[in-house]
Amino acid sequence: MKIPLPSYFLTAALSLTAVGFSTAQTASRIEKLASQPTLQSEIAMDEIVISAPLDRPLFQQAQATSVLTGQPLNLAIEPSLGQTLARLPGVSSSYFGPAASRPIIRGLDGDRVRILQNGLNTIDASSASPDHAVSFDVANLKSVEVIRGPATLLYGSNAIGGVVNAIDGRIVDEKLDGTIRGSMGGRFSSVDSGYQSNAMLEGGWKGLAFHVEAFTRAAEDFHIPGNARTVGEQERNPLPAGDLEPSKNVPNSHLRSEGVSGGLSYVWEGGFVGFAWTEFHSLYGSPAEPSVFIDLNQTRLDVRGAFYKPLPRIKEISYRFAWSDYEHVEYEDGMDNTVFKNDGYDARVEVKHEKIAGMEGVVGFQSDRSDFLIAGAEAFLPPNITQSNSLFFFEDITRGPLSFQFGGRYDHISVEALDNDVFGPARSRTFDNFSGSVGVVFNPNDEYSAAFTVTHAERAPTSQELYANGAHLATNTFEVGNADLGVESSLGFDLNLRKRTGWVTGSVSGYYNRYNDFIGQFPTGVMVDTDGDLIGDTPEYAYTAVAAQFIGAELETTFHLLHPVTTEQQATTNLNWEFKADAVRARDASTGRSLPRIPPFHLSSALIVERGPFGAKLEGIYAAPQARVAASEFGTDSYFLVNLTLSYRVVQGPTTIDLYVKGMNLTNEDAREHTSFLKERVPLPGRGIVAGMKMTF
């Protein structure tokens, strides 16, 4: 169902009306925000990490974590989640055009990276194929948290590579008695004639609180520096006689999305309870197939609440539940061709306890279910049901400057392929996964911290890895599952060093992960047609388990050239030099050959100037050539992007307006992401200007 545009105009009108009724409490909050620099560093060491088991700041986390919030998030926003996060250390993008792009963490993607909304699964089809969009937009997010490395302890088997938690605040969990607050935003991009507008409004009275928000986003085919296809791709796959090479723009890369959400909650001294209803719609083209576009719809219900100190020694009992009705239709030449459906839920209960025998922690239960269906001409997977029930715990023992952390999780997972005329009789597999982690955090003072963790994680194979048998045209492969696959397990070591004050601040991390039975798609050397017959032009890829090793490092540091950072309020005049870098090497431990689509070395450097309400950032982003490739994979050249951001903050009473303009890819570089299935056919956008504003009241 396409959402009518009048709902957005109504929300915008409500937001404008509310400006005049904002309370002194809101004014105080915003004026405090307005006194901060307009281009804050993304290294938010003191941000509380909501995705973590205990309410601790990033500075005290054992795992490598990034928090993107406030103005850095506003300036980083792109049409997709993957591109929004792609400049964080250790994070890349699957980049399947502007609409469909998932984050890749430390070289791991798909089902190994769990994408969450407020701590619960998105319940969509984005992990099944790179051309499937994530089922929410980034426009109204309050923050995004990225946990790099295994996070199976809290979030289950699908988080063996990491977690991305998008926090939107649709369920208000604090008293807003007599308060009205909100935001409005808009942006325009020249490279695709794109625009985005969004609005949020929330308030409360006598414990009741409401939250409404809406957004709309649209873009045409985006411009590129030259030809869409590489020279190598043109030589290997010449176009039919008379056809012209796509040039200067990428055909069928347009998009249109809109969404609306409303929530209601009740807050009292001892807790809160609330719900939110969300409708999301997206219509976008697939750059891989010029005649294909996808019409995506999701209806989602979220329920969340907590009881504070309900019993002796119990700090909090929290609960959350999400239900989703997801469907997208893939149209080819104007006719509906294939339908993807995912109906399911995700529910969890957590009990946080005070210190008992010196241990503070949390125990919890989680249950989730997915009823997944593909029907139509390109169905490559039988209808299936995945059900998971889990128990987990996490404990922390602090002794002086040392914090010892440990935990465990048990998952019982069933993956059932239903009886189907095309794929045969019903089949079922069950798995019992055990994961555990031990870590230590050393805080010698308020300036430094060091953390070391050892993690054993297990992941059950997905329905796609077990039962796939068909042509997957988006990736130009014929997928063959393996119903005998076992549990994928890993042993990982992670070291993190952080510094939050002084002339130099930032973090550096290193990691090593050894996988047993790492499940991947590998070519069989056989060429088939779309029905799987042996004569054809589609390469067959089979899901196979191999031993694998991942080793890498990440750097994020800022040199403060005018004065050191302290724990007090940040100065409003700053000159900072920021560096980010990441590298990962992933290979088959038996053959030494690289695994497919592993990110190359990345390095970025930025000079940031902040003076009162004005901010400027000149940034260079380098991606090294990637010559370490898997079988049947091609390498990619290096690229260097130059970006410039200017921002200005206007404060008028309780209202703050952030204005910005960004020059993107100013040298019009032909840049291609090695992690993309489309790297030979679709480059990153060319030179363009983005102008936008965000008003908060």
Side-chain angles (χ1 to χ4, degrees):
M1 177 185 70
K2 188 170 181 179
I3 302 167
L5 284 179
S7 61
Y8 307 119
F9 297 129
L10 175 61
T11 305
L14 287 172
S15 301
L16 285 171
T17 303
V19 174
F21 296 98
S22 299
T23 64
Q25 178 183 352
T26 306
S28 175
R29 176 177 60 86
I30 301 302
E31 285 170 2
K32 182 178 179 181
L33 176 65
S35 67
Q36 299 175 355
T38 59
L39 283 173
Q40 302 166 49
S41 170
E42 295 173 7
I43 311 174
M45 292 286 188
D46 294 319
E47 288 288 341
I48 298 296
V49 181
I50 297 175
S51 308
L54 300 177
D55 297 328
R56 303 282 173 82
L58 186 155
F59 185 68
Q60 298 177 7
Q61 298 298 321
Q63 279 192 281
T65 304
S66 296
V67 180
L68 200 56
T69 188
Q71 184 73 329
L73 173 59
N74 188 41
L75 294 175
I77 284 178
E78 297 286 344
S80 66
L81 180 66
Q83 288 300 98
T84 297
L85 303 178
R87 302 311 176 196
L88 293 177
V91 182
S92 305
S93 167
S94 62
Y95 192 64
F96 211 89
S101 172
R102 280 174 58 98
I104 297 171
I105 299 178
R106 293 179 169 178
L108 296 170
D109 62 355
D111 189 66
R112 294 184 179 89
V113 173
R114 188 135 200 188
I115 298 178
L116 306 173
Q117 284 180 267
N118 306 298
L120 295 176
N121 191 13
T122 55
I123 317 176
D124 56 22
S126 63
S127 65
S129 178
D131 65 325
H132 298 171
V134 177
S135 58
F136 64 84
D137 193 86
V138 295
N140 279 313
L141 294 181
K142 290 189 173 181
S143 65
V144 183
E145 299 176 350
V146 180
I147 298 177
R148 306 193 297 274
T152 53
L153 200 65
L154 286 184
Y155 297 107
S157 152
N158 308 89
I160 199 168
V163 161
V164 175
N165 190 13
I167 299 162
D168 52 43
R170 291 171 182 170
I171 299 176
V172 179
D173 58 4
E174 60 178 319
K175 282 194 173 185
L176 297 179
D177 291 353
T179 297
I180 296 289
R181 66 189 186 191
S183 64
M184 294 182 63
R187 59 196 284 139
F188 169 80
S189 55
S190 65
V191 76
D192 55 8
S193 298
Y195 70 86
Q196 167 227 305
S197 60
N198 58 283
M200 183 276 290
L201 182 68
E202 61 186 14
W205 183 256
K206 294 186 176 180
L208 287 173
F210 72 90
H211 176 104
V212 292
E213 64 178 58
F215 84 95
T216 183
R217 183 189 298 277
E220 303 300 327
D221 294 346
F222 66 87
H223 301 302
I224 54 177
N227 289 335
R229 303 200 306 163
T230 63
V231 173
E233 176 69 10
Q234 295 176 40
E235 294 173 348
R236 289 186 295 269
N237 299 292
L239 296 177
D243 287 2
L244 297 177
E245 281 291 336
S247 179
K248 298 305 178 182
N249 63 47
V250 174
N252 207 33
S253 60
H254 58 86
L255 70 94
R256 173 64 185 261
S257 300
E258 53 258 340
V260 62
S261 180
L264 187 66
S265 57
Y266 180 70
V267 185
W268 68 99
E269 294 298 329
F272 75 97
V273 61
F275 75 93
W277 186 272
T278 303
E279 298 282 350
F280 177 81
H281 172 254
S282 186
L283 182 70
Y284 61 95
S286 171
E289 303 165 275
S291 62
V292 172
F293 67 89
I294 294 175
D295 191 0
L296 183 161
N297 292 277
Q298 185 188 51
T299 298
R300 179 181 172 104
L301 170 68
D302 285 272
V303 178
R304 190 163 67 92
F307 300 100
Y308 306 136
K309 297 183 178 179
L311 297 169
R313 298 293 185 119
I314 302 299
K315 295 175 64 176
E316 179 182 323
I317 299 176
S318 62
Y319 54 92
R320 58 188 72 196
F321 170 84
W323 166 86
S324 168
D325 177 8
Y326 172 93
E327 176 180 304
H328 85 243
V329 182
E330 298 186 358
Y331 291 85
E332 185 170 5
D333 295 322
M335 304 294 292
D336 54 336
N337 188 48
T338 308
V339 178
F340 287 74
K341 293 186 177 182
N342 191 3
D343 297 334
Y345 70 83
D346 190 5
R348 62 189 292 135
V349 178
E350 297 181 6
V351 179
K352 294 181 181 179
H353 65 81
E354 297 176 349
K355 285 188 177 181
I356 300 175
M359 295 188 300
E360 179 184 8
V362 58
V363 296
F365 170 78
Q366 183 173 7
S367 177
D368 61 81
R369 176 186 173 103
S370 168
D371 292 3
F372 196 78
L373 169 70
I374 310 176
E378 296 182 21
F380 59 89
L381 182 67
N384 59 84
I385 298 174
T386 301
Q387 175 78 54
S388 174
N389 294 299
S390 311
L391 292 170
F392 59 89
F393 75 94
F394 178 90
E395 298 294 335
D396 178 283
I397 303 174
T398 300
R399 294 288 186 271
L402 292 174
S403 175
F404 300 94
Q405 302 175 357
F406 62 94
R409 184 181 178 104
Y410 164 71
D411 300 298
H412 178 75
I413 301 170
S414 64
V415 187
E416 179 184 7
L418 304 181
D419 182 72
N420 182 271
D421 292 338
V422 176
F423 296 94
R427 292 162 287 171
S428 182
R429 293 287 308 278
T430 59
F431 304 91
D432 293 291
N433 294 352
F434 296 89
S435 298
S437 176
V438 177
V440 59
V441 180
F442 177 53
N443 292 114
N445 51 44
D446 290 338
E447 186 174 359
Y448 292 94
S449 74
F452 179 73
T453 57
V454 180
T455 304
H456 168 76
E458 295 184 348
R459 184 183 75 92
T462 67
S463 59
Q464 191 167 338
E465 294 165 340
L466 292 169
Y467 306 126
N469 187 29
H472 192 170
L473 298 187
T475 57
N476 191 35
T477 59
F478 190 96
E479 295 189 11
V480 179
N482 183 351
D484 295 323
L485 288 171
V487 170
E488 175 183 286
S489 63
S490 74
L491 179 64
F493 304 89
D494 206 309
L495 176 65
N496 298 283
L497 304 174
R498 302 184 181 101
K499 186 174 184 291
R500 68 171 179 175
T501 59
W503 290 95
V504 181
T505 60
S507 64
V508 60
S509 59
Y511 58 91
Y512 172 82
N513 287 299
R514 168 81 185 207
Y515 286 83
N516 293 321
D517 296 324
F518 180 88
I519 301 170
Q521 274 185 290
F522 299 96
T524 64
V526 176
M527 301 296 288
V528 301
D529 63 15
T530 55
D531 294 322
D533 296 329
L534 290 179
I535 300 176
D537 56 3
T538 302
E540 182 183 77
Y541 278 68
Y543 285 101
T544 308
V546 300
Q549 295 177 338
F550 286 70
I551 185 170
E554 297 142 357
L555 171 70
E556 185 175 21
T557 188
T558 301
F559 294 88
H560 305 274
L561 304 180
L562 294 184
H563 42 69
V565 171
T566 68
T567 56
E568 304 299 325
Q569 184 174 345
Q570 189 176 352
T572 57
T573 300
N574 298 285
L575 179 62
N576 299 329
W577 195 5
E578 185 178 84
F579 284 92
K580 298 177 187 177
D582 60 68
V584 57
R585 176 80 165 95
R587 63 187 184 93
D588 183 326
S590 301
T591 65
R593 185 112 195 207
S594 290
L595 296 176
R597 296 180 306 282
I598 298 302
F601 170 73
H602 288 100
L603 172 67
S604 68
S605 177
L607 187 65
I608 303 172
V609 179
E610 300 168 326
R611 184 172 178 82
F614 173 78
K617 179 178 181 180
L618 179 63
E619 176 185 42
I621 301 171
Y622 171 73
Q626 181 58 289
R628 295 190 177 103
V629 295
S632 302
E633 185 185 20
F634 299 101
T636 48
D637 294 333
S638 64
Y639 65 76
F640 185 78
L641 304 180
V642 178
N643 303 324
L644 175 65
T645 301
L646 302 175
S647 67
Y648 192 81
R649 173 165 290 172
V650 179
V651 179
Q652 185 65 44
T655 302
T656 297
I657 301 175
D658 285 303
L659 307 171
Y660 60 89
V661 60
K662 301 193 297 181
M664 309 297 292
N665 191 6
L666 294 176
T667 59
N668 211 30
E669 179 90 346
D670 186 304
R672 299 175 186 268
E673 297 284 19
H674 185 77
T675 51
S676 171
F677 275 95
L678 300 182
K679 57 179 172 283
E680 296 291 309
R681 292 183 282 169
V682 180
L684 293 176
R687 182 189 297 116
I689 299 294
V690 177
M693 61 81 67
K694 183 174 183 180
M695 180 177 70
T696 309
F697 55 87

